[in-house]
Amino acid sequence: MSVSSRDVTVVALLADPDAPTEVARRMARTLPARLADTSGQGRRFDVEVVSEPFSAGTEDLSTLTRRIVDRGRAEHWDIVVALTDLPLHSHGRKLAVDLSHEHGLALLSLPSLGGLRFERRALRAVEEAVLSLAGARATGAEGPPRRQSPARFAGRLAPVHPGPIGEEETADLRYVVSGPRGYLRVLSGMVRANRPWRLIPGLSKALAAALATGAVATVNSTLWSLAASLGTPRLVIATVGSVALMVGWLIVDAHLWHRTAEAAPEARKRAALYNASTVVTVGIGVLVCYAGLLAVNLVWALFILNDQVFASMARTPLHATEYWTLSWFVASVATVGGALGSGLESDEAIRAAAYSKREQERRRMLEDERGDRPVT
């Protein structure tokens, strides 16, 4: 149990497991000094990181707030800042941060920070939240301190702006994102939380099938002639088609598409956001795999192809352009082979590679509620 003195403010970073916990731990290294320098008056801050799934099983703001309040009271923390990588919603808008100065708590939805300069934005958001809550505690006020300007707070998190709060809600200050820019910001944050680069080791069997397909295709004389006859537009079409096939196959075969039984427009918008993040996450992972296949095929072609044999079969000299064209086309063929090979992967392995830990648990809960969880 943490005990605070008059000169020390105990700040708990209550973080969901996985990515939020990693962010909180890195943040805790510099946050105390930044808070002390900014607040002045000789005040010191003791920052603790607590990793636990406080958002498990719910996206309801009232439920989450109640859990955070109960946890803070049990540990006697002065201020609690909860971090989650779930995209939260409030009154049809995407939540950025909720603050309750009366209870000394803040709830931050990390996807609202976007995918670029994420660490810096997260640190600034938490710093502003803690200073706002600490100012209220110092003055004994139950609402936001007068010196705290909503415009200043929102400016640090631009394009975040103040949002509406219901009469029965605990929060007394809320910031949301809305509009096309807000949608793209949250979407990029969700994709970053999913960490699409993890899809590569998660598709080991598919990559093995793609590499084998590429190795065989590179020594196929029919493909030499076909690749030599293709122009850049057709090669681009082959790339787009093979990547789209791979993405679609992974989403359909591993049951990654999010369905909602709710007819409410807000539920459908949420489902569309989740599906968009899935498509972008898987798409980035497949594109990285495609680039890797192209590089491997190019090295393999440089090693295996013979100038005279290639010229006799393809009726064109073997120059740098032919190496590049053949490797590009073979990468598309190999990606199709990888799509077929991905059927050997388990659905759970693909989900673990494509989603953050919170998102995996959220989807597992929804499937259990519907009773249609696919058998793997």
Side-chain angles (χ1 to χ4, degrees):
M1 179 179 295
S2 303
V3 180
S4 61
S5 65
R6 185 179 63 180
D7 298 327
V8 179
T9 301
V10 178
V11 179
L13 300 181
L14 182 63
D16 270 332
D18 203 25
T21 296
E22 296 174 8
V23 170
R25 286 173 177 164
R26 288 193 292 268
M27 189 183 301
R29 299 170 187 168
T30 58
L31 187 59
R34 289 175 62 97
L35 291 171
D37 291 342
T38 306
S39 63
Q41 302 176 351
R43 182 181 298 175
R44 293 190 297 120
F45 293 83
D46 181 13
V47 178
E48 303 178 6
V49 177
V50 180
S51 178
E52 63 181 53
F54 71 90
S55 66
T58 184
E59 296 180 43
D60 178 64
L61 287 179
S62 299
T63 303
L64 293 176
T65 301
R66 185 169 60 253
R67 291 179 180 179
I68 299 168
V69 170
D70 293 343
R71 193 71 173 87
R73 287 175 178 172
E75 296 293 338
H76 297 284
W77 293 318
D78 295 323
I79 294 173
V80 185
V81 180
L83 308 175
T84 181
D85 54 2
L86 282 180
L88 301 176
H89 297 76
S90 169
H91 301 280
R93 297 173 176 85
K94 299 163 187 67
L95 178 74
V97 61
D98 253 3
L99 296 100
S100 173
H101 294 80
E102 178 183 357
H103 297 94
L105 71 87
L107 172 61
L108 177 63
S109 178
L110 294 176
S112 67
L113 301 176
L116 300 176
R117 295 179 295 174
F118 173 79
E119 298 280 352
R120 182 182 302 177
R121 287 175 175 174
L123 181 59
R124 286 181 176 178
V126 172
E127 181 181 357
E128 286 291 337
V130 172
L131 291 175
S132 179
L133 297 173
R137 292 185 63 87
T139 59
E142 294 185 355
R146 293 181 179 179
R147 71 175 182 85
Q148 178 66 53
S149 168
R152 176 175 177 268
F153 193 105
R156 288 292 187 94
L157 299 173
V160 179
H161 55 84
I165 303 174
E167 295 181 358
E168 303 298 326
E169 296 186 79
T170 303
D172 50 47
L173 193 58
R174 170 172 295 158
Y175 295 94
V176 297
V177 293
S178 59
R181 288 183 63 196
Y183 181 90
L184 293 176
R185 183 184 178 99
V186 174
L187 178 60
S188 63
M190 293 174 67
V191 172
R192 188 195 183 283
N194 287 337
R195 293 183 285 189
W197 53 88
R198 298 190 307 181
L199 191 64
I200 300 172
L203 295 176
S204 56
K205 294 183 178 66
L207 285 175
L211 289 171
T213 302
V216 173
T218 303
V219 298
N220 189 308
S221 59
T222 302
L223 283 181
W224 297 351
S225 301
L226 184 58
S229 66
L230 294 177
T232 300
R234 290 188 177 183
L235 288 171
V236 171
I237 292 173
T239 299
V240 173
S242 61
V243 169
L245 177 64
M246 181 74 159
V247 171
W249 181 270
L250 287 172
I251 291 175
V252 172
D253 187 59
H255 305 279
L256 301 182
W257 197 255
H258 176 71
R259 295 172 296 168
T260 178
E262 301 180 41
E266 186 171 340
R268 295 189 179 278
K269 289 180 180 178
R270 270 195 304 236
L273 183 62
Y274 282 120
N275 288 328
S277 71
T278 296
V279 172
V280 176
T281 298
V282 177
I284 291 175
V286 172
L287 282 174
V288 173
C289 292
Y290 187 95
L293 287 172
L294 196 156
V296 171
N297 292 331
L298 181 59
V299 172
W300 176 240
L302 290 170
F303 175 75
I304 202 70
L305 293 184
N306 178 274
D307 295 6
Q308 294 180 350
V309 175
F310 185 92
S312 64
M313 299 300 296
R315 298 182 180 180
T316 182
L318 183 59
H319 298 308
T321 302
E322 280 66 37
Y323 277 113
W324 171 253
T325 301
L326 178 62
S327 301
W328 188 355
F329 182 59
V330 168
S332 298
V333 175
T335 300
V336 175
L340 299 177
S342 66
L344 301 174
E345 306 282 0
S346 68
D347 292 352
E348 291 297 330
I350 295 177
R351 291 182 179 204
Y355 292 135
S356 66
K357 192 177 185 66
R358 294 293 95 206
E359 179 64 3
Q360 292 178 55
E361 293 180 357
R362 190 191 69 82
R363 290 177 179 255
R364 190 179 299 117
M365 179 192 69
L366 291 175
E367 289 167 356
D368 290 341
E369 289 178 354
R370 292 197 305 260
D372 62 352
R373 186 175 178 183
V375 179
T376 57

